Structure formats: C-alpha cells, structure tokens
C-alpha cells in the first residue's frame, strides 16, 4: 500500500464516521506555544482542546507535518525521523476512549488489512493520582488483543504543566517469529498509534484538575506505518524515500547509518526552509543550521571535496511537493550552499584556533565558553574537530 493511499484510507475512514478534515499547519507552532516547532497534530489545536469551539465541529481528522529535535540522536535507526507526517483524529468533548480505540482497531484490521494477531496494546495501569484505565483495557480484552499495563509509558503530557491524561498505545509485531513478549520487553513490537484520553490539567504543584471537556487526541506516524504495511525493515525503505535511495548512494557512497542520516537531515532541512526558516545561531534557525552541518560532517569525513552543489534537483522538488510547499528549489539550493560555505570557513578557523598551545591539553568549561563566545565555535564542533 503506497503512502498516499495509506493517508487517503485513514482520512476517508474517519470522514465516514463524522470527522471533518482540517488543513495541517506549517512547522511553526501557534503564537504563545513555547516549543520551537510543531511536534504533533495537537499543537495547533490547543485552544480547542481547552474548550474553545472549533469552527469545523467536535470531530476532526488531518495530516500534520512535525519536527522533533529530541529524536536527532536516534536518526539512523529503523523508526525515527526528524521531520515526518502524522495522521491525527480528535474528539473535542464528543466521544470517549473506548469509541476511539474501537475505530482504531477497525481501521488497522479492516481498512488496512493488518492481521489482528500481530497487534499488542499498552494501557495505563494507574498511579497515586488516577486509577487504572479499565475502559481501554476492556476494549482490548473484548477483541482478543493482548494488553500490557504500564504507568509512565502510558501517561501523556504536553510538559510539566498543562493538558494530560492516560493513553493507550497500539503496537505491531515486526519480528520474523510468531509474536512474543510485550512492547516494553521486546523492541520488535513497534508503536504505530497512540490514543490519548486528554481529561486533566496538571498544575504547577503537581495536582490534577479536570479539563473543561474530555478530549481524545490520537497520532499515527505516516512513514512508520507505511514502511510496516509495505513490509520494509525501516522507515527509510518506504516509498516516500524511493528517490533518495535511488540517487544519493551513487552520488556519495556511505554506510547505511550515514546514508539514513543524510536522507533524513537534508529532507528535514528542505522542509524547514520551505516553511520560512533561515539558518541562524539561535532558535529555529540553529536547528536548521545543525541539520545541515551534521550532513556535511558525515559527507566530509571521507572526502572533504563533497558538496551539496551536487544534490540532484529532483530530491528538492520531490520534498517540496511532498509537503505541499510553494518555494522554488533554486532558493533552497542557494541557502544550502551558503550554509556550506559558512561551515567550511568556520572549520578552517576552528582548526587554526585549536592548534594554539592553550588548547592542546584537556579543555575546561572556561575553554569551551571562550571558544564559543570569542570564536563562534560551539562545544559539539570543538569536540568533532579534536576527534578528527
């Protein structure tokens, strides 16, 4: 099942059940949101989850592009991406968790054809604040899906304060043996869908109070689900990455983990640029700068002559089209090459500075502060240069 068909099947399934499709936002969160980027489909909907009436009603569905900087170090494994698309559904004070899980089970098994015997669920087992989520547990037991009870792993929050609640996660078995063990004990169980019963608000003192309305917020990663449905061993092997796998290895021969990082970070950089971000030393611009520099560090490790100038235009246009962004690929290329030239100059200056006698021995925190404040050399770059 191609990725676009996965998305279409998901959207149509929930439209048939009274959900209105809303347009996903850019990677820029709404004003007042403390995060740098939109990390989930719920971010643009925060005011409505807290009680404001949504103009399209109380049942919503969409596809939202997201960026998670917390996963940067995980990129290269089989399941993590920096920028990805997320399918989401919401009940804004309408139906409750059991209905959401029932529809989720139906979509996975009937709409997408997944063998029910390959599913496993986790459910909140209760803690000192709330009791066990018996309603979700009963849904899975009625359908014969094995359930694991957890505490922290099945409690969703948007930070130390704010909306929160128990969740139930759905996992798919990816091993080459019959399913065994549980999701917390065997990483061959891959999470595909999270259903959050957003009922509470956590206050600064740690206490919980009821939200004005009881919401459902679900999220499902597009690329991860598509790769599983296509029988692929990693997200980088689903059809979304076909052009990258076809063109990049012939251009830059790299090992598989390095190729995955290049695919992910360059694709993510294109999307970030497409949403209006430009390289900078702080904030969102620094995330973009870090993505590009991590790619260049990998490319130059074996051959310093490699350049983003050689990046096929097909990859830029494919990514911009995929994320529905109205920007000329020539603009993206110019920004990437400007950043490449800036990074080369910084590396040259960094090598000259670190060659000074003062920096020959172990570096102190004072040294790192001096290198950053005086010469513009961040700690991670200094460490990379010394290792090189």
């Amino acid at each position: 099942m191609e990725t676009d068909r996965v998305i279409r099947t998901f959207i149509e399934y929930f439209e048939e059940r009274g959900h209105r499709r809303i347009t996903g936002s850019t990677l820029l969160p709404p004003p007042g949101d403390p995060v740098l980027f939109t990390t989930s489909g719920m971010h643009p909907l925060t005011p409505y989850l807290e009680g404001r009436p949504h103009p399209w009603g109380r049942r919503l569905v969409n596809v939202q592009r997201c960026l998670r900087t917390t996963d940067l170090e995980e990129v290269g494994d089989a399941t993590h991406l920096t920028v990805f698309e997320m399918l989401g559904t919401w009940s804004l004070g309408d139906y409750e968790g059991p209905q959401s899980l029932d529809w989720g089970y139906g979509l996975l098994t009937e709409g997408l054809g997944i063998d029910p015997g390959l599913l496993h669920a986790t459910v909140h087992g209760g803690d000192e604040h709330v009791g066990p989520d018996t309603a979700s547990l009963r849904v899975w037991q009625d359908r014969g899906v094995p359930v694991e009870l957890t505490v922290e792993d099945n409690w969703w929050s948007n930070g130390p304060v704010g909306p929160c609640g128990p969740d139930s996660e759905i996992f798919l078995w990816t091993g080459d043996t019959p399913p065994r063990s549980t999701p917390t004990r065997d990483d061959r169980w891959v999470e595909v869908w999270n259903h959050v019963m957003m009922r509470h608000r956590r206050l600064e003192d740690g206490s919980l109070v009821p939200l004005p309305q009881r919401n459902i917020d679900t999220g499902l990663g597009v690329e991860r689900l598509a790769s599983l449905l296509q029988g692929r061993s990693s997200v980088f092997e689903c059809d979304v990455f076909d052009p990258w796998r076809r063109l990049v290895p012939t251009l830059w021969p790299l090992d598989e983990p390095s190729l995955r990082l290049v695919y992910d970070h360059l694709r993510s950089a294109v999307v970030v640029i497409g949403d209006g971000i430009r390289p900078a030393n702080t904030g969102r611009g620094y995330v973009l700068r870090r993505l590009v520099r991590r790619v260049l560090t990998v490319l130059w490790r074996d051959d310093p002559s490699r350049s983003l100038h050689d990046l096929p235009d097909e990859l830029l246009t494919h990514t911009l089209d995929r994320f529905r962004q109205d920007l000329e690929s020539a603009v993206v290329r110019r920004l990437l090459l400007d950043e490449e030239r800036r990074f080369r100059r910084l590396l040259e200056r960094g090598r000259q500075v670190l060659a000074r006698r003062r920096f020959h021995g172990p570096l102190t925190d004072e040294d790192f502060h001096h290198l950053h404040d005086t010469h513009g050399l961040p700690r991670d770059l200094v460490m990379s240069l010394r290792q090189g």
Side-chain angles (χ1 to χ4, degrees), residues 190-250:
V190 175
E191 179 195 344
V192 293
W193 204 349
N194 189 14
H195 293 241
V196 179
M197 281 59 83
M198 197 180 298
R199 304 165 181 165
H200 311 279
R201 173 183 293 281
R202 189 178 297 279
L203 305 180
E204 291 187 0
D205 64 2
S207 63
L208 297 177
V209 297
L211 283 174
Q213 63 187 25
R214 292 162 68 92
N215 308 300
I216 301 297
D217 164 29
T218 85
L220 185 158
V222 170
E223 295 88 346
R224 183 180 297 184
L225 177 63
S227 66
L228 294 171
L229 293 175
Q230 293 165 16
R232 307 300 183 181
S233 60
S234 84
V235 289
F236 298 99
E237 294 179 19
C238 75
D239 60 322
V240 167
F241 284 94
D242 282 349
W244 293 88
R245 292 199 315 275
R246 173 167 50 85
L247 296 171
V248 173
T250 59

Side-chain angles (χ1 to χ4, degrees), residues 120-124 140 147-148 150 154 167-171 183-184:
H120 202 302
T122 60
V123 167
H124 187 66
W140 295 124
V147 179
E148 181 179 21
T150 80
N154 282 105
D167 65 51
S168 181
E169 298 177 341
I170 308 173
F171 292 78
T184 64

Side-chain angles (χ1 to χ4, degrees), residues 30-229:
D33 196 309
V35 300
L36 288 178
F37 292 99
T38 298
T39 61
S40 67
M42 64 80 61
H43 272 134
L45 295 172
T46 300
Y48 309 105
L49 291 165
E50 294 184 339
R52 181 190 302 176
H54 194 283
W56 291 103
R58 300 168 71 185
R59 297 183 181 186
L60 307 175
V61 60
N62 85 340
V63 56
Q64 169 68 50
R65 58 179 171 268
C66 304
L67 187 154
R68 293 185 179 173
T69 56
T70 53
D71 290 341
L72 273 181
E73 300 301 329
E74 304 293 333
V75 170
D77 68 4
T79 60
H80 288 90
L81 296 169
T82 305
V83 166
F84 60 95
E85 291 186 288
M86 178 172 283
L87 294 164
T89 63
W90 293 271
S91 164
L92 304 177
D94 190 357
Y95 56 83
E96 294 273 355
Q99 180 66 80
S100 180
L101 295 176
D102 181 57
W103 282 335
Y105 177 81
L107 173 64
L108 292 176
T109 58
E110 299 173 17
L112 298 176
I114 293 175
D115 180 354
L118 299 179
L119 297 178
H120 202 302
T122 60
V123 167
H124 187 66
D127 57 21
E128 68 272 18
H129 298 290
V130 298
D133 184 4
T134 55
S136 295
L137 178 62
R138 192 175 305 115
V139 170
W140 295 124
Q141 290 175 336
D142 289 346
R143 283 149 189 77
V145 176
V147 179
E148 181 179 21
L149 298 176
T150 80
V151 178
E152 294 182 2
D153 288 345
N154 282 105
W155 183 266
W156 183 92
S157 65
N158 194 31
V161 298
C164 58
D167 65 51
S168 181
E169 298 177 341
I170 308 173
F171 292 78
L172 180 62
W173 178 253
T174 62
D176 54 7
T177 67
R180 61 179 62 167
S181 192
T182 66
T184 64
R185 297 173 183 169
D186 194 322
D187 59 12
R188 288 175 294 180
W189 287 108
V190 175
E191 179 195 344
V192 293
W193 204 349
N194 189 14
H195 293 241
V196 179
M197 281 59 83
M198 197 180 298
R199 304 165 181 165
H200 311 279
R201 173 183 293 281
R202 189 178 297 279
L203 305 180
E204 291 187 0
D205 64 2
S207 63
L208 297 177
V209 297
L211 283 174
Q213 63 187 25
R214 292 162 68 92
N215 308 300
I216 301 297
D217 164 29
T218 85
L220 185 158
V222 170
E223 295 88 346
R224 183 180 297 184
L225 177 63
S227 66
L228 294 171
L229 293 175

Side-chain angles (χ1 to χ4, degrees), residues 301-328:
R301 184 176 55 209
D302 299 325
D303 185 352
S305 69
R306 289 171 176 162
S307 172
L308 298 181
H309 175 78
D310 299 323
L311 189 66
D313 194 64
E314 178 183 342
L315 298 179
L316 303 180
T317 56
H318 174 268
T319 302
L320 292 169
D321 291 345
R322 174 84 224 166
F323 287 88
R324 303 165 296 282
Q325 294 175 302
D326 185 20
L327 186 67
E328 295 292 330

